[in-house]
Amino acid sequence: MDAPALAVTGSTGWLGGLVARDLAADGIRQRLLVRDPDRAPALDGADVRRCAYGDDDEAVRALEGVRTLFMVSAAEHPDRLGQHLGFVRAAARAGVGHVVYVSFYGAAPDATFTLARDHAATEAALRASGMAWTFLRDNLYLEFFGQLRGEDGAIRGPAGDGRVAAVSHPDIAAAAGAVLRGPAAHAGETYSLTGPEALTLAEVADVVAEVQGLETTYVAETVEEAYASRAVYGAPDWQVDAWVSTYTAIAAGELAGVTDDVERLTGRPPLSLREVLSRG
């Protein structure tokens, strides 16, 4: 039997796992690229290969015969960009024709959110690679907002009155699946995936309080307060910068725009924060 023409990274995580299961349910054959084959989901028509970001030669071997690659971004790491760039080179060496890359909303070299800069550099590498590409630029995750409330009932961060058009996990996965079922029609396209509304964090707190039945308020920190409140976790500087800049990107208005890209790709409107939290 011929090798699957589609490869999916990240199938042991939430996004790659949702996409891989959805494709398998439709009888679509795929190659699952995973660091630990023992953790790969058992799916009909799936060919499992060991493949880790950071091992370019292994990636070339794992990608041989693949025409379309679904590239979920690597786990946060101080050299995540280097891992991405090596993986893009490996895909080109292996003869991959089209990469569908999971990027970030508003990815740009000067983005306020620090990790969005790495996504911009990865996009640039894909544009220069000679492979066809499609970018799925996810906004923040709606599920994230259900976890922000502290023990004191406060959601804290330096987001000011800025708005964020966060999107749900199921909507991102459904949009990705739609692209992967017919990638040629989406070559050269960039989709900005958002929810149906742009909310301030004060409005987020109101929805959390309503749905979860817990008193919840938003406390607008200064940037200095945000760094101080997160210092207790002992995380490296680059990671704290990423955490804090999530909020300052909201304050700067860089995550506020609502698009219809989810509905255009999936044929249905995206889920709202209230709907996501109600699902539990």
Side-chain angles (χ1 to χ4, degrees):
M1 183 180 293
D2 293 338
L6 168 65
V8 172
T9 67
S11 63
T12 59
W14 71 262
L15 176 54
L18 285 173
V19 170
R21 288 177 173 83
D22 183 42
L23 295 173
D26 274 357
I28 297 173
R29 298 179 61 239
Q30 57 192 308
R31 179 175 295 169
L32 305 181
L33 307 182
V34 295
R35 286 178 296 178
D36 181 359
D38 291 336
R39 295 183 58 227
L43 302 175
D44 291 340
D47 168 23
V48 178
R49 297 288 183 91
R50 185 186 303 276
C51 180
Y53 287 115
D55 189 333
D56 299 350
D57 290 336
E58 181 180 69
V60 171
R61 293 191 296 271
L63 288 166
E64 289 177 355
V66 168
R67 292 198 296 272
T68 302
L69 168 64
F70 181 53
M71 181 179 171
V72 178
S73 53
E76 293 183 8
H77 184 275
D79 189 37
R80 179 164 73 163
L81 177 57
Q83 294 177 351
H84 281 186
L85 299 183
F87 194 65
V88 170
R89 290 192 297 268
R93 284 171 54 196
V96 171
H98 189 153
V99 179
V100 179
Y101 173 62
V102 181
S103 186
F104 189 78
Y105 185 97
D110 59 350
T112 299
F113 178 42
T114 56
L115 300 185
R117 303 169 195 170
D118 291 348
H119 286 293
T122 304
E123 289 185 0
L126 284 163
R127 289 190 184 96
S129 70
M131 297 180 288
W133 50 266
T134 305
F135 301 144
L136 303 177
R137 289 181 170 180
D138 304 343
N139 205 295
L140 294 183
Y141 304 141
L142 285 171
E143 289 79 1
F144 171 65
F145 293 135
Q147 304 167 8
L148 285 181
R149 182 183 181 277
E151 292 183 1
D152 62 352
I155 294 174
R156 300 176 184 276
D161 295 324
R163 294 183 176 273
V164 54
V167 63
S168 74
H169 289 175
D171 286 329
I172 298 168
V179 171
L180 293 170
R181 285 174 172 83
H186 304 280
E189 296 289 342
T190 298
Y191 297 106
S192 295
L193 306 182
T194 75
E197 57 193 348
L199 302 173
T200 66
L201 291 194
E203 291 169 341
V204 167
D206 289 342
V207 175
V208 170
E210 175 189 335
V211 176
Q212 297 183 343
L214 299 169
E215 183 176 345
T216 307
T217 58
Y218 169 56
V219 176
E221 294 178 308
T222 66
V223 172
E224 292 75 18
E225 288 170 338
Y227 273 98
S229 66
R230 286 153 181 80
V232 297
Y233 297 107
D237 290 347
W238 66 268
Q239 192 163 44
V240 178
D241 288 341
W243 291 344
V244 174
S245 64
T246 302
Y247 296 92
T248 54
I250 297 174
E254 295 178 15
L255 303 182
V258 175
T259 78
D260 65 353
D261 286 354
V262 167
E263 186 164 7
R264 287 170 53 210
L265 289 169
T266 68
R268 58 171 175 74
L271 297 170
S272 68
L273 175 61
R274 182 172 282 99
E275 289 171 318
V276 168
L277 295 180
S278 297
R279 290 182 170 197

